[in-house]
């Protein structure tokens, strides 16, 4: 039943280790290549004839699912906040991928700086919308330079004095001579559902929402 297949979009990278116990708990077993990061496949079969998985970047999980190319997905609350897609429903907090989105700058500058004095700042970030909104709320105009990774080298090379990026252990900031000066939001991964799929396949979609909700409660 290929036209009836549910496409489940999952994020690639470190987070997959935390996603795997959820898949086990809800009874989804991907084909072995899915957990092999050297595999060039992008779409994977599962033990369920009516479900395939795709493995994409977490930002793209939200986009595939918002446009209905995927029906279900797992992505971070940071990504949901950045895009603010109205076609996504995020019913379950999976309590994995825990980290925070923070403003950071060079440690030597942070010591002398007073965030309350900012009026116009330049920020290197993967999150331009969220960053602008965050600063606009307190009257600071943030000029954002969009990067897709390695934000941490921007301050030392003079691209921007400040960055907005995810912080987990803080190791990447420290290794690059940066310090957090402000936390914007705490982040965790969410189960997301395309709203049209929820209307057209209510039982199947609600069934998966309930399974993930139960699995989240049992953790
Ligand atoms: C994230 C984030 C930071 C780092 C923070 O990147 O963008 O660079 O992790 O983690 P830490 O505080 O534990 O050092 P990730 O390695 O996930 O890859 P990415 O740059 O592709 O997003």
């Amino acid at each position: 039943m290929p036209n009836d297949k549910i496409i489940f979009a999952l994020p690639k990278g470190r987070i997959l280790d935390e996603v795997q116990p959820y898949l086990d708990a809800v009874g989804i077993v991907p084909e072995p290549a899915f957990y092999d990061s050297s595999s060039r496949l992008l779409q994977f079969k599962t033990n369920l004839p009516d479900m395939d998985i795709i493995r994409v970047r977490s930002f793209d999980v939200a986009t595939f699912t918002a446009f209905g190319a995927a029906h279900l997905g797992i992505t971070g609350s940071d990504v949901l906040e950045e895009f603010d897609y109205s076609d996504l429903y995020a019913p379950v907090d999976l309590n994995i991928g825990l980290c925070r989105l923070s403003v950071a700058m060079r440690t030597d500058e942070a010591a002398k700086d007073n965030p309350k004095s900012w009026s116009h700042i330049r920020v290197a970030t993967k999150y331009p919308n969220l960053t602008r909104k965050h600063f606009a709320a307190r009257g600071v105009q943030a000029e954002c330079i969009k990067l897709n990774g390695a934000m941490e080298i921007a301050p030392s090379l003079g691209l921007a004095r400040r960055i907005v990026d995810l912080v987990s252990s803080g190791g990447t900031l420290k290794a690059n001579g940066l310090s957090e000066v402000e936390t914007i939001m705490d982040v965790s991964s969410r189960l997301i559902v395309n709203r049209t799929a929820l209307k057209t396949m209510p039982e199947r979609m609600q069934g998966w929402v309930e399974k993930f909700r139960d699995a989240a409660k049992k953790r």
Side-chain angles (χ1 to χ4, degrees), residues 21-190:
Y22 267 104
L23 297 185
D24 294 345
V26 302
I28 298 172
V29 184
E31 64 177 303
F34 178 70
Y35 292 115
D36 174 2
S37 53
S38 66
S39 168
R40 307 308 298 163
L41 276 179
L42 298 171
Q43 184 164 346
F44 303 85
K45 294 191 186 345
T46 70
N47 60 319
L48 309 171
D50 69 341
M51 180 185 283
D52 274 5
I53 288 177
I54 60 170
R55 190 179 63 190
V56 296
R57 288 170 196 276
S58 60
F59 276 68
D60 296 338
V61 165
T63 304
F64 273 98
T65 313
F67 285 86
H71 307 98
L72 290 170
I74 291 178
T75 194
S77 51
D78 54 328
V79 174
L80 296 176
E81 191 79 26
E82 171 66 14
F83 284 131
D84 201 18
Y85 283 128
S86 57
D87 292 325
L88 289 181
Y89 170 56
V92 188
D93 184 346
L94 300 172
N95 209 24
I96 57 173
L98 300 178
C99 56
R100 54 195 185 272
L101 189 71
S102 294
V103 186
M105 60 193 299
R106 278 171 47 177
T107 304
D108 53 352
E109 287 193 5
K112 297 176 262 169
D113 195 43
N114 174 11
K116 293 207 170 64
S117 70
W118 302 350
S119 65
H120 181 120
I121 58 173
R122 186 191 268 189
V123 186
T125 186
K126 217 159 131 175
Y127 303 87
N129 297 324
L130 208 162
T131 299
R132 273 193 291 269
K133 205 163 119 191
H134 170 76
F135 285 110
R138 54 176 221 237
V140 176
Q141 192 188 343
E143 178 196 341
C144 293
I145 298 178
K146 171 85 196 291
L147 290 178
N148 294 305
M151 259 69 68
E152 291 87 352
I153 52 173
S156 64
L157 297 180
L159 182 61
R161 285 175 67 200
R162 297 173 181 90
I163 65 166
V164 166
D165 194 15
L166 295 178
V167 182
S168 174
S169 66
T172 311
L173 289 183
K174 197 163 177 229
N176 290 283
L178 303 178
S179 294
E180 270 177 284
V181 290
E182 199 182 343
T183 302
I184 297 182
M185 66 183 286
D186 289 317
V187 172
S188 62
S189 295
R190 309 293 161 97

